[in-house]
Amino acid sequence: MNSRASVPAPDSPLGRLMATLPRAGRVEWIGLRPAREAAMVEVAQVQAATGGGLAGDRYKGGNGKRGITLIQAEHLPAIAVLAGRAQVAPAILRRNLVVSGIPLVALKGRRFRVGELVLEGTASCDPCSRMEAALGPGGFNAMRGHGGLCARIVEGGTLRLGDAVEAL
């Protein structure tokens, strides 16, 4: 194993399995957080700055490691069940993108394309204490393991609903 990122060598059997992502995902929802306590704003497209963030998002000028946050659409029903809710709207979870069809955990530490953008998965997007208020008692724990992925914007451009999500 490569101790730098705890990822097996790409030419090892496990490394080859971990790199096998035969299907593209898809952007299902885009949201921006204009300020710390502000409600999410749903958009159909947004500009993404290389090394920065999304235009109109509070993290647009940060260090880039959290330039964009993603969560899997397939996890929303699980979060809802664990929080004792019938459903969970993406805006409540305060992630920028909801994507379907590709396991985000497989993109951690890797580069991937989302439409025009090239992103690099930097870290798990762990829940914050705000999930307790947003989802009700137990909301923080309902999100654990389902929080998604933080990514750095390596190549910016326009991000659109329906864009493909593919590992590079």
Side-chain angles (χ1 to χ4, degrees):
M1 285 233 174
N2 176 342
S3 62
R4 180 181 63 83
S6 299
V7 175
D11 59 344
S12 71
L14 184 56
R16 285 191 296 276
L17 282 174
M18 289 176 72
T20 303
L21 294 164
R23 287 171 296 285
R26 181 178 185 277
V27 176
E28 302 290 344
W29 185 88
I30 303 171
L32 305 173
R33 298 165 301 231
R36 180 174 167 83
E37 299 293 327
M40 294 288 288
V41 176
E42 183 175 354
V43 298
Q45 67 179 36
V46 65
Q47 285 299 119
T50 300
L54 302 177
D57 192 78
R58 79 184 206 108
Y59 287 108
K60 72 176 181 264
N63 67 13
K65 290 184 179 182
R66 192 185 169 107
I68 189 168
T69 56
L70 304 91
I71 192 165
Q72 280 185 242
E74 294 84 357
H75 287 194
L76 299 184
I79 293 166
V81 167
L82 294 170
R85 300 171 65 108
Q87 62 183 4
V88 174
I92 291 174
L93 304 179
R94 306 189 64 75
R95 303 301 187 262
N96 297 120
L97 301 183
V98 175
V99 301
S100 64
I102 192 164
L104 291 177
V105 69
L107 300 176
K108 186 176 176 184
R110 295 184 60 175
R111 289 194 175 186
F112 56 102
R113 181 171 297 284
V114 179
E116 296 178 2
L117 313 182
V118 173
L119 305 177
E120 182 176 52
T122 57
S124 297
C125 193
D126 296 324
C128 68
S129 61
R130 293 198 55 190
M131 292 301 101
E132 201 72 8
L135 296 170
F140 174 83
N141 279 317
M143 287 282 299
R144 290 176 67 192
H146 301 288
L149 183 69
C150 296
R152 181 171 69 88
I153 301 170
V154 177
E155 292 178 20
T158 303
L159 173 66
R160 296 174 180 85
L161 281 177
D163 278 349
V165 181
E166 303 174 283
L168 297 177

